[in-house]
Amino acid sequence: MPDAKSPLKIGTRGSPLALAQAHETRDRLMAAHGLPEDAFEVVVIKTTGDDRAMIAADKPLKEIGNKGLFTKEIEEAMVDGRIDIAVHSMKDMPTEQPEGLVLDCYLPREDVRDAFVSLEYDSIMALPEGATVGTSSLRRRAQLAHVRPDLKLVEFRGNVQTRLKKLADGVAAASFLAYAGLRRLGMKDSARGPIAPEEMLPAVAQGAIGIERRMADARAAPPGGTCLPRDAGRLLRDADCRSCADRGRPALAARPDLAPRRLRGARGRALGQYRRGRRDGRTPRARSAVSGGRRVLRLALSTQHRS
């Protein structure tokens, strides 16, 4: 077990939200194992995606490296042994991982919905014609272009606090944030409210936090390891969250065995997906659209499970 002399090192990005997620992971491990806080060390790792110059320039992610921007340096630190586990927002994770690393622990999933954020307007449809909306998400841009083609869409990068400041500075009339992030930061009142998935489908695995580890590291491996205590599985191995994440992310990679048939080959497109848990008979919903918003494909699939 880790202790003050040999703490378990938890790797994370340095944004307030990333730190909140890492601290939640640490606190759950402390409770599961009865360990003191000094048995853990939160290690902040700067990723390419955190570069202030690129954030200020509001460059689209597709021009500077896409999702791996937020994970590459953290995974390199884990492969090199500088950290023991890493805490990730699953919607930022690439669909493929470096050899030797595995994702098999998840925190209980938060609210999956997007949040509408504006200082003046209550909803997407309340925005005046031609209003400027800030978002760098291809998924959000495609869905917005479909329902409100009159809106002017501008790139809008940065963490929660940076985006709220841009709104206050008048860069845009509205923007969007993951409602889960606002809730984890205790800032849900910063949004006008969550957007129903029927109006805007969230990102695959939105609201899910994954714990990555080295496959060969016995100290962090389940069962019985630090990542998954044998007698406290609910604290760090949420089955519903894992089911949604494991079955949702392959759609991004167009894996033929798990991705919906009409979404196969949809690489490079904006993909949203909302998947209900097994208690509801699991009804996955997916929407795919080209980045220009010229075409939107909606699917509603239902899978009945054997009792």
Side-chain angles (χ1 to χ4, degrees):
M1 282 291 178
D3 53 31
K5 292 183 179 180
S6 180
L8 186 84
K9 296 182 178 181
I10 303 172
T12 177
R13 296 169 62 198
S15 73
L17 177 57
L19 287 171
Q21 293 168 174
H23 291 155
E24 180 181 351
T25 301
R26 179 200 62 194
D27 293 347
R28 287 175 177 273
L29 287 170
M30 288 169 55
H33 293 282
L35 292 171
E37 185 174 317
D38 62 6
F40 302 89
E41 179 183 350
V42 174
V43 180
V44 175
I45 299 171
K46 183 178 179 180
T47 69
T48 305
D50 297 318
D51 185 273
R52 289 185 178 275
M54 287 193 291
I55 292 172
D58 275 329
K59 289 186 177 181
L61 290 182
K62 64 180 180 180
E63 293 183 7
I64 51 178
N66 251 317
K67 289 192 175 186
L69 288 169
F70 301 111
T71 60
K72 181 175 179 289
E73 288 82 0
I74 295 175
E75 290 179 325
E76 287 175 348
M78 187 150 41
V79 170
D80 293 344
R82 286 177 281 143
I83 59 173
D84 298 303
I85 61 175
V87 181
H88 300 288
S89 293
M90 290 299 296
K91 72 182 183 67
D92 293 333
M93 287 294 288
T95 53
E96 296 181 358
Q97 294 169 259
E99 185 176 355
L101 302 184
V102 63
L103 269 164
D104 58 0
C105 291
Y106 300 89
L107 301 190
R109 195 173 191 179
E110 251 289 358
D111 197 306
V112 305
R113 296 171 293 178
D114 281 320
F116 180 77
V117 187
S118 175
L119 300 181
E120 300 180 65
Y121 306 102
D122 290 331
S123 67
I124 295 170
M125 301 313 294
L127 289 166
E129 185 173 356
T132 299
V133 176
T135 176
S136 293
S137 163
L138 288 177
R139 170 185 60 84
R140 289 167 177 154
R141 292 170 75 97
Q143 294 184 81
L144 274 176
H146 181 68
V147 299
R148 286 293 306 270
D150 61 290
L151 296 175
K152 179 183 177 182
L153 305 181
V154 297
E155 295 293 337
F156 216 66
R157 290 199 58 225
N159 61 33
V160 171
Q161 290 76 9
T162 299
R163 296 189 206 187
L164 291 176
K165 185 178 185 301
K166 288 181 179 181
L167 284 178
D169 291 343
V171 177
S175 187
F176 304 90
L177 291 164
Y179 198 47
L182 292 176
R183 286 172 57 90
R184 286 189 169 108
L185 287 169
M187 297 175 61
K188 65 178 183 179
D189 291 341
S190 299
R192 292 287 173 165
I195 305 172
E198 291 77 12
E199 185 176 353
M200 178 174 283
L201 278 170
V204 171
Q206 186 155 300
I209 303 302
I211 316 298
E212 190 176 27
R213 63 179 178 84
R214 287 184 295 274
M215 193 176 299
D217 188 349
R219 187 165 77 153
T226 304
C227 185
L228 176 62
R230 186 184 300 272
D231 58 348
R234 290 184 180 181
L235 292 176
L236 271 180
R237 204 178 189 188
D238 188 86
D240 288 344
C241 182
R242 179 173 185 172
S243 174
C244 289
D246 287 353
R247 291 182 176 273
R249 293 174 68 234
L252 290 176
R255 264 180 54 185
D257 55 333
L258 290 177
R261 182 178 300 276
R262 293 176 67 191
L263 290 182
R264 296 175 193 174
R267 282 189 175 94
R269 301 187 178 195
L271 180 63
Q273 188 175 93
Y274 175 55
R275 188 177 287 269
R276 289 178 180 167
R278 295 185 178 182
R279 295 182 186 91
D280 299 317
R282 198 175 68 216
T283 303
R285 293 177 180 172
R287 177 181 296 167
S288 176
V290 295
S291 61
R294 293 186 297 273
R295 181 171 64 90
V296 172
L297 171 65
R298 303 183 187 189
L299 300 178
L301 309 176
S302 179
T303 303
Q304 297 299 324
H305 292 266
R306 295 178 182 177
S307 58

